[in-house]
Amino acid sequence: QRTCNLHILGPHWCEYCANFMWGLIAQGVKCADCGLNVHKQCSKVVPNDCQPDLRHVKKVYSCDLTTLVKAHNTKRPMVVDMCIQEIEARGLQSEGLYRISGFSELVEDVKLAFDRDGEKVDISSNVYEDINIITGALKLYFRELPIPLITYDAYPHFMESAKVTDPEKRLESLHEALKLLPPAHCETLRYLMAHLKRVTDYEKDNLMTSENLGIVFGPTLMRAPDLDAMTALNDIRYQRLVVETLITNEDVLF
């Protein structure tokens, strides 16, 4: 369940009470995700069941993850599925996979292509020969999420889990922390961790261990909500440990 993303609106009919919104000054609000028009007063009692409409969701990057999957009626963001499928088809043995950055202008090009064409985008080797451009586009997608994949609400619980020294108890704690994620976030994290586990199956070729991937993905998947620089710096090693543990134990945690 999620609340509507309401913005102020001019004269209109209220879709909650069915009365006209009188007055020249903005009397109503409109949800940017599903297009619902309601009185300001009525907006306080609208049920939390926003169903985003594709006509109102204009882009893929920088869009709330739950909004995107609801609008497209998918389990996960298509950008995640498509990039991972492409990487697994031709990149698993590529040395430094995810660690080596792709050319930033081409990564930006992939982002613009997804925003413009959605699932019709062509990210094959015909267009982007370097697989690091696709890994870069996937990392950029996660970095630009308005609410990180590991959400601000769940962040402290994941940090606490990482500080548990006993391996069994740490897994139990992480299992509880995962329950705090919204369904679309948890499913996307599950899919990503299963993929990264497959990346480590080829570590003799790609030299990417779960620890290396934790270093790359820790700050990409989780951001501290408004922490001072010192605390944020201290959190980095725990972020790495969270991702490393999720990758290594993805089969039992999800």
Side-chain angles (χ1 to χ4, degrees):
Q1 285 196 328
R2 61 189 303 279
T3 50
C4 285
N5 177 14
L6 297 164
H7 292 237
I8 287 174
L9 176 78
H12 224 290
W13 296 94
C14 175
E15 292 175 38
Y16 184 76
C17 70
N19 288 316
F20 193 69
M21 299 178 201
W22 294 100
L24 294 172
I25 301 164
Q27 294 293 312
V29 288
K30 174 175 180 150
C31 176
D33 297 331
C34 69
L36 178 81
N37 298 317
V38 288
H39 284 110
K40 277 184 193 167
Q41 283 303 108
C42 291
S43 71
K44 294 169 187 168
V45 288
V46 171
N48 291 351
D49 61 352
C50 175
Q51 293 294 331
D53 186 323
L54 207 47
R55 288 172 303 174
H56 300 284
V57 178
K58 302 286 188 212
K59 56 188 179 178
V60 171
Y61 279 69
S62 309
C63 175
D64 174 72
L65 191 145
T66 302
T67 299
L68 189 70
V69 299
K70 281 195 166 195
H72 287 269
N73 195 26
T74 54
K75 282 166 72 175
R76 298 174 297 270
M78 90 295 245
V79 58
V80 174
D81 281 20
M82 289 178 68
C83 286
I84 285 177
Q85 284 158 17
E86 192 64 30
I87 292 158
E88 295 202 351
R90 61 183 173 102
L92 288 175
Q93 291 168 291
S94 177
E95 189 176 321
L97 191 69
Y98 285 113
R99 185 179 54 77
I100 295 170
S101 299
F103 189 47
S104 61
E105 280 184 26
L106 289 173
V107 171
E108 191 67 23
D109 193 56
V110 175
K111 169 189 165 175
L112 296 174
F114 268 112
D115 281 344
R116 185 183 63 241
D117 305 325
E119 63 265 24
K120 296 187 185 74
V121 70
D122 182 0
I123 54 169
S124 69
S125 56
N126 301 333
V127 186
Y128 303 104
E129 194 180 342
D130 181 7
I131 198 64
N132 299 314
I133 294 160
I134 309 304
T135 59
L138 182 62
K139 288 186 293 183
L140 183 64
Y141 171 75
F142 288 120
R143 279 201 303 275
E144 292 198 351
L145 283 174
I147 298 170
L149 188 60
I150 291 174
T151 60
Y152 293 124
D153 288 346
Y155 183 88
H157 301 274
F158 279 90
M159 286 290 101
E160 286 309 308
S161 302
K163 291 169 187 173
V164 176
T165 49
D166 180 89
E168 282 300 311
K169 288 197 172 74
R170 184 190 295 156
L171 285 185
E172 283 170 26
S173 181
L174 271 176
H175 196 260
E176 290 306 306
L178 286 166
K179 292 177 185 172
L180 302 171
L181 295 177
H185 283 247
C186 194
E187 167 55 25
T188 304
L189 184 62
R190 180 201 68 76
Y191 188 74
L192 177 64
M193 292 303 116
H195 161 64
L196 294 180
K197 182 74 173 283
R198 287 190 289 276
V199 170
T200 65
D201 291 341
Y202 292 84
E203 70 176 68
K204 281 193 176 68
D205 301 305
N206 61 38
L207 309 180
M208 295 304 286
T209 61
S210 55
E211 185 181 355
N212 291 341
L213 290 166
I215 292 166
V216 172
F217 276 95
T220 303
L221 302 182
M222 51 204 305
R223 300 191 292 278
D226 309 322
L227 282 187
D228 61 90
M230 211 47 231
T231 317
L233 202 63
N234 190 42
D235 274 6
I236 288 174
R237 63 189 175 126
Y238 295 114
Q239 291 172 353
R240 172 189 65 72
L241 197 53
V242 166
V243 176
E244 186 183 340
T245 311
L246 288 173
I247 294 169
T248 312
N249 302 281
E250 58 84 23
D251 52 340
V252 293
L253 282 170
F254 293 97

